[in-house]
Amino acid sequence: MGIYLDNAATTAQKPASVAEAVAHILQGAYGNPSRGAHGYSLAGFRVAETARKKIKDLFKADHHYEVAFTNNATVALNEVLKGLIQPGDHVITTDWEHNSVLRPLYQLEAQGVSFDVVTSEAVTGRLDYEQFTQKIRPETKAVICNHASNVTGNRLDLEWVKDFCDKQGVYLIIDASQTAGVVPIDLSDGKVAAVCFTGHKSLYGPQGTGGVCLQKNLPIEPVITGGDGMQSFSKVQPKELPTLLEAGTLNIPGLAGLAAGIQWVQEQHSEIDLGSYFYQELQKIAGVTIYGDFTSPRVAVFSINIKDAESAVVSELLWEDYQIATRPGYHCAPLMHEALGTADRGTVRLSLSSFTTKAEIDQVLEALQELASR
């Protein structure tokens, strides 16, 4: 069908084992977990717990953490931010953030929450870490950071931010949408309050899967309430995790696929080495501007522009003339584009996966060379 380089949005190419796991559930005898003592319900419960354990193992989360599943990182981020932050609280975030963080913060701001944004350099998108110290307040309750920018591929210095939050006594919330499955995330030191993740990107699970790995003692209130299958006469959502954040029926076929995706990821090589090759060759094409910091660890996400062309035009030509799928525009990250100086036309984003081949990269480089020569 073509060359797919929109993996930062979703990995369209999945391992065969993921499809097989989903089909097995749909064709088998699996009921709702925690909705009965019969075999069908227990079978569904075991699927959910298997996926839960795989997430904990992936993040090296000990018994102080629990995993609650949602249908994507956006819901997880909304649940954590709106369930934890109260009027009068202050939050520090960055201009790397996706609208799944920014829009909840704007909603909370209208309710009496304040927040400050740590900004980045133009073109490189490199964060100014000194601003974290400058923006801390007595009422600061949490820091929310994107582990890697979905625009530039820049990676957060997570150890620095963890130490900062630990010393300041504030909660650290991480958006791992672009890193879960690609970059090791270690929660064993207990310095991260919550990691929000999605299943459909670098974990190679089905769309409609995701969640949050959070500390059990986090003082969070549920945003979504409803059936839990256990305490039917209670007027409030049970306080125990994961039930507190898992109202309603879980996506058991999706979680089976997610568990299979995680298993596959743990057996594969990363796409970052191929990304290094792509970047080295991309630099040789005259007329191409590359955004991001390439002096520090990163993920295989690249934003470019070609001369004065609109990003939408370049992306359309790549698909129509070369069958190369990319993502133009602003990538739901408006502050990042303002920092990069691309708010007028956006960028063309090319993002790799473990299924991307060197032969495909060479074809993409050839296509970009041709477009730049026009």
Side-chain angles (χ1 to χ4, degrees), residues 2-56:
I3 298 173
Y4 185 79
L5 291 185
D6 194 17
N7 293 283
T10 193
T11 46
Q13 297 154 303
K14 309 288 185 182
S17 57
V18 171
E20 291 165 2
V22 173
H24 177 75
I25 299 299
L26 295 175
Q27 296 166 1
Y30 293 85
N32 283 2
S34 303
R35 300 302 195 271
H38 50 72
Y40 296 89
S41 178
L42 293 174
F45 177 81
R46 284 191 289 269
V47 171
E49 291 308 301
T50 296
R52 218 181 297 279
K53 184 178 186 306
K54 285 190 177 295
I55 289 291
K56 289 182 182 179

Side-chain angles (χ1 to χ4, degrees), residues 216-233:
K216 291 180 179 179
N217 62 356
L218 199 64
I220 191 168
E221 292 295 325
V223 174
I224 300 171
T225 57
D228 67 281
M230 304 295 287
Q231 301 180 29
S232 295
F233 284 90

Side-chain angles (χ1 to χ4, degrees), residues 5-335:
L5 291 185
D6 194 17
N7 293 283
T10 193
T11 46
Q13 297 154 303
K14 309 288 185 182
S17 57
V18 171
E20 291 165 2
V22 173
H24 177 75
I25 299 299
L26 295 175
Q27 296 166 1
Y30 293 85
N32 283 2
S34 303
R35 300 302 195 271
H38 50 72
Y40 296 89
S41 178
L42 293 174
F45 177 81
R46 284 191 289 269
V47 171
E49 291 308 301
T50 296
R52 218 181 297 279
K53 184 178 186 306
K54 285 190 177 295
I55 289 291
K56 289 182 182 179
D57 291 345
L58 182 70
F59 294 153
K60 295 180 173 57
D62 63 15
H63 64 281
H64 295 104
Y65 286 86
E66 186 56 272
V67 173
F69 289 115
T70 65
N71 60 338
N72 49 50
T74 297
V75 174
L77 287 161
N78 270 265
E79 286 199 342
V80 173
L81 289 170
K82 295 175 181 176
L84 178 66
I85 309 302
Q86 303 297 323
D89 290 339
H90 175 254
V91 176
I92 298 174
T93 189
T94 79
D95 59 9
W96 289 13
E97 307 312 311
H98 190 275
N99 273 335
S100 54
V101 167
L102 296 177
R103 285 177 174 166
L105 286 178
Y106 292 138
Q107 284 185 302
L108 289 168
E109 186 178 39
Q111 299 167 14
V113 171
S114 60
F115 70 93
D116 281 305
V117 178
V118 173
T119 59
S120 303
E121 296 177 356
V123 182
T124 68
R126 190 182 297 116
L127 275 179
D128 180 0
Y129 286 90
E130 290 185 6
Q131 291 184 29
F132 282 95
T133 302
Q134 297 165 4
K135 297 179 185 298
I136 195 77
R137 302 183 191 173
E139 65 270 26
T140 303
K141 189 171 189 177
V143 170
I144 168 72
C145 291
N146 203 334
H147 194 193
S149 168
N150 71 314
V151 178
T152 65
N154 292 356
R155 265 173 56 186
L156 184 76
D157 186 343
L158 182 55
E159 292 306 312
W160 189 98
V161 178
K162 283 165 66 172
D163 288 342
F164 170 80
C165 292
D166 186 51
K167 290 175 183 176
Q168 298 294 336
V170 299
Y171 296 117
L172 174 57
I173 304 161
I174 295 296
D175 177 0
S177 296
Q178 297 297 327
T179 56
V182 176
V183 179
I185 297 174
D186 188 343
L187 302 182
S188 61
D189 60 12
K191 294 181 180 180
V192 178
V195 172
C196 297
F197 63 91
T198 196
H200 68 100
K201 297 186 183 185
S202 295
L203 292 177
Y204 295 91
Q207 290 157 316
T209 59
V212 54
C213 185
L214 73 167
Q215 292 178 346
K216 291 180 179 179
N217 62 356
L218 199 64
I220 191 168
E221 292 295 325
V223 174
I224 300 171
T225 57
D228 67 281
M230 304 295 287
Q231 301 180 29
S232 295
F233 284 90
S234 175
K235 294 181 179 180
V236 299
Q237 196 71 14
K239 296 295 184 183
E240 299 79 14
L241 288 170
T243 307
L244 179 70
L245 302 179
E246 284 185 350
T249 298
L250 288 175
N251 178 4
I252 295 303
L255 293 182
L258 176 59
I262 295 171
Q263 181 68 38
W264 185 86
V265 162
Q266 293 174 325
E267 298 168 354
Q268 302 302 310
H269 297 292
S270 169
E271 68 269 15
I272 292 178
D273 287 342
L274 189 56
S276 298
Y277 168 73
F278 182 47
Y279 172 66
Q280 293 300 323
E281 297 303 311
L282 194 58
Q283 290 182 93
K284 301 175 183 178
I285 303 177
V288 172
T289 300
I290 311 171
Y291 303 90
D293 178 11
F294 293 86
T295 64
S296 302
R298 52 182 293 107
V299 294
V301 175
F302 304 86
S303 272
I304 67 168
N305 274 316
I306 299 180
K307 299 180 179 177
D308 296 327
E310 293 288 334
S311 63
V313 172
V314 174
S315 187
E316 182 178 2
L317 288 171
L318 284 170
W319 178 248
E320 295 297 331
D321 294 355
Y322 304 96
Q323 287 72 60
I324 299 169
T326 62
R327 169 78 181 275
Y330 303 107
H331 315 98
C332 301
L335 299 186

